[in-house]
Amino acid sequence: MPPVSVPQSLDRAHCEAADQADPFAPLRHAFQIPPGVIYLDGNSLGALPVQVPDRLAQVARTEWGQGLIRSWNDAGWIDLPRRVGTRIARLIGAQDNEVIATDSTSINLFKLLSAARALRPDRSVILTEAGNFPTDLYIAQALADQGTPGLEIRRVEREALRDALDESVAVVMLTQVDYRTGHKLDLAETTAAAHRVGALTLWDLAHSAGAFAVDLNAAQADFAVGCGYKYLNGGPGAPAFAFVAHRHLATVQQPLSGWLGHAAPFAFEPDYRPADGIERLLCGTPPILSMSALDTALDVFDEAHALGGLAGLGAKAQQLVEVFISGFEGRCAAGGLRLISPRDRTARGNQVSLAADDPARGWALMQALIARGVIGDFRAPNILRFGFAPLYLRQVDVWDAVEHLADLIDTRAWEDPRWQHRRAVT
């Protein structure tokens, strides 16, 4: 599905026509979208695939309830991390044996940062963005605080990354799509620049996997992590995944040497021997219920592949983004908001971010939108964030979302005291 420019005369009729011609339109029925809701927060938590509740019921009532412990073998529970990892590998340009579904993004970051650092023992720097997602920064700092000798966390602005690359850098740890602005780094170019100085790369694909085409092997990436609950729609707290390039699998050593990462877990040997392949990234017992939900959620990508694949989904997402930007710029000029996402579609993920001149107004506008069923999120100090999941969003949804935003601005309905209250999760 090639990129299609948004017409200058865009109106709701154009959006309806585009939706009727959308080859991915049937996939919307694979998700439970509540009536009256325009869901623009799939970059935080994906929508519920309709098949997941039945799968969870089967796992709970039959596999657990009837099979009991036998289901580790009979229902293939023990194979789920590798099986789900293989399915994710096909979405991120990896080989089947390079990805495992396990633990959380934060835990996998710790494992792979430690492992990558150990592969460059004569180097002392983890290079990252100053504005990287906080958990990435916290995990890197934890590695340094726990006594890794001489380890330095070098934080620089995105524009200074290339100049900060030198032969002291062991690992370049970056998130491909910035969680605040949606700016997308060129994975291949950045990886090549790191490799030119002998550094390894660790990519966080939290806002990439399942959103658009990613090709880790073509880029010669070394390591990657990502979560299962955003564009992969695996549910709240879904397992994350870890990628290790095949060339590193024989030598990589991760610090959390749990028993399922052992070469022979059920030999119950007293000393640790890592598994030969990607299984060495495992640690403890996998969460079977949530792993099963993620496994089922990935079924929709099999259908998407037949309809145009991730390249087509990514192109559709950018059309949705352009509809939003066009509508925002045409109808929301008085809102005290400004676009901070890149205008170049090749330089952004499936996201639009608006910065509010007044943070309190920005917060209130988002709460008022959510109350109307237009669900985005707010990121401190002043960012209204909208995600565009192409599996289930339509252009008319985006058009209507902008209409709601424009109406709130025009009527100043966001000033209602109800929308000023801050909640724990933003």
Side-chain angles (χ1 to χ4, degrees):
M1 179 173 158
V4 177
S5 298
V6 174
Q8 292 184 349
S9 58
L10 181 70
D11 57 22
R12 200 174 195 280
H14 280 98
C15 293
E16 291 173 345
D19 290 336
Q20 290 175 0
D22 176 16
F24 297 104
L27 300 181
R28 180 177 172 86
H29 302 294
F31 294 89
Q32 181 176 306
I33 309 293
V37 167
I38 300 172
Y39 193 59
L40 304 181
D41 211 8
N43 54 328
S44 279
L45 175 66
L48 172 67
V50 296
Q51 294 181 344
V52 165
D54 287 344
R55 173 71 181 277
L56 287 173
Q58 177 195 359
V59 174
R61 293 173 180 167
T62 303
E63 296 178 11
W64 178 15
Q66 300 298 320
L68 297 169
I69 200 167
R70 294 169 295 185
S71 287
W72 283 103
N73 292 313
D74 295 347
W77 288 354
I78 196 66
D79 301 319
L80 268 174
R82 180 63 179 272
R83 185 164 75 243
V84 173
T86 294
R87 301 186 76 183
I88 294 172
R90 296 165 187 170
L91 303 178
I92 59 174
Q95 297 178 37
D96 291 354
N97 64 347
E98 293 177 317
V99 181
I100 196 88
T102 182
D103 297 319
S104 68
T105 305
S106 298
I107 292 173
N108 289 335
L109 276 167
F110 186 85
K111 294 176 190 173
L112 292 182
L113 265 183
S114 175
R117 169 73 169 83
L119 291 177
R120 294 291 185 269
D122 56 336
R123 297 179 175 224
S124 60
V125 174
I126 293 175
L127 177 64
T128 190
E129 278 192 82
N132 204 346
F133 190 70
T135 202
D136 300 58
L137 300 176
Y138 301 161
I139 291 296
Q141 191 59 57
L143 192 64
D145 290 345
Q146 290 177 12
T148 303
L151 184 61
E152 173 193 347
I153 312 303
R154 183 179 298 168
R155 305 181 187 186
V156 300
E157 298 301 322
R158 175 166 293 200
E159 297 77 14
L161 281 170
R162 295 292 179 90
D163 291 339
L165 282 168
D166 59 35
E167 293 184 355
S168 70
V169 177
V171 191
V172 180
M173 178 188 70
L174 296 169
T175 301
Q176 186 184 18
V177 176
D178 187 284
Y179 79 101
R180 299 158 306 171
T181 67
H183 186 282
K184 181 171 70 173
L185 286 167
D186 188 308
L187 194 149
E189 286 186 5
T190 307
T191 298
H195 285 175
R196 281 195 291 272
V197 299
L200 299 169
T201 56
L202 170 52
W203 288 96
D204 185 336
L205 303 179
H207 292 270
S208 307
F212 50 80
V214 176
D215 199 335
L216 291 173
N217 279 333
Q220 289 292 296
D222 299 290
F223 304 99
V225 299
C227 66
Y229 53 80
K230 295 184 181 0
Y231 291 103
L232 298 183
N233 309 298
F241 63 86
F243 159 86
V244 177
H246 186 267
R247 62 186 176 276
H248 298 308
L249 279 174
T251 54
V252 72
Q253 296 183 20
Q254 63 111 336
L256 303 179
S257 48
W259 80 300
L260 282 186
H262 192 278
F266 289 90
F268 299 107
E269 298 173 3
D271 296 319
Y272 185 76
R273 290 188 296 119
D276 288 336
I278 192 65
E279 283 82 3
R280 66 177 54 196
L281 265 291
L282 292 172
C283 184
T285 305
I288 296 303
L289 289 171
S290 55
M291 191 78 74
S292 298
L294 175 58
D295 187 31
T296 300
L298 294 171
D299 288 348
V300 71
F301 288 99
D302 296 336
E303 299 177 57
H305 180 74
L307 298 173
L310 283 171
L313 280 173
K316 176 186 173 180
Q318 289 306 318
Q319 292 171 9
L320 296 170
V321 167
E322 290 179 8
V323 169
F324 189 96
I325 292 175
S326 176
F328 166 73
E329 293 182 334
R331 286 173 281 165
C332 302
L337 304 172
R338 67 186 186 281
L339 177 71
I340 59 171
S341 297
R343 293 179 179 274
D344 177 1
R345 65 166 59 195
T346 66
R348 68 180 179 230
N350 299 4
Q351 180 179 320
V352 173
S353 294
L354 308 175
D357 295 340
D358 176 2
R361 175 189 289 188
W363 168 265
L365 274 169
M366 181 56 75
Q367 305 320 300
L369 277 172
I370 292 171
R372 291 185 175 204
V374 181
I375 301 177
D377 61 25
F378 182 85
R379 290 294 176 262
N382 66 336
I383 296 173
L384 291 80
R385 195 175 69 157
F386 304 91
F388 298 87
L391 288 170
Y392 47 81
L393 277 175
R394 305 168 299 187
Q395 287 196 18
V396 292
D397 299 323
V398 178
W399 177 271
D400 291 345
V402 176
E403 286 287 289
H404 280 289
L405 179 59
D407 183 67
L408 285 170
I409 292 169
D410 292 343
T411 64
R412 302 186 70 85
W414 60 269
E415 294 180 341
D416 189 308
R418 290 177 295 172
W419 316 134
Q420 313 304 317
H421 174 66
R422 294 287 180 126
R423 307 184 70 182
V425 177
T426 64

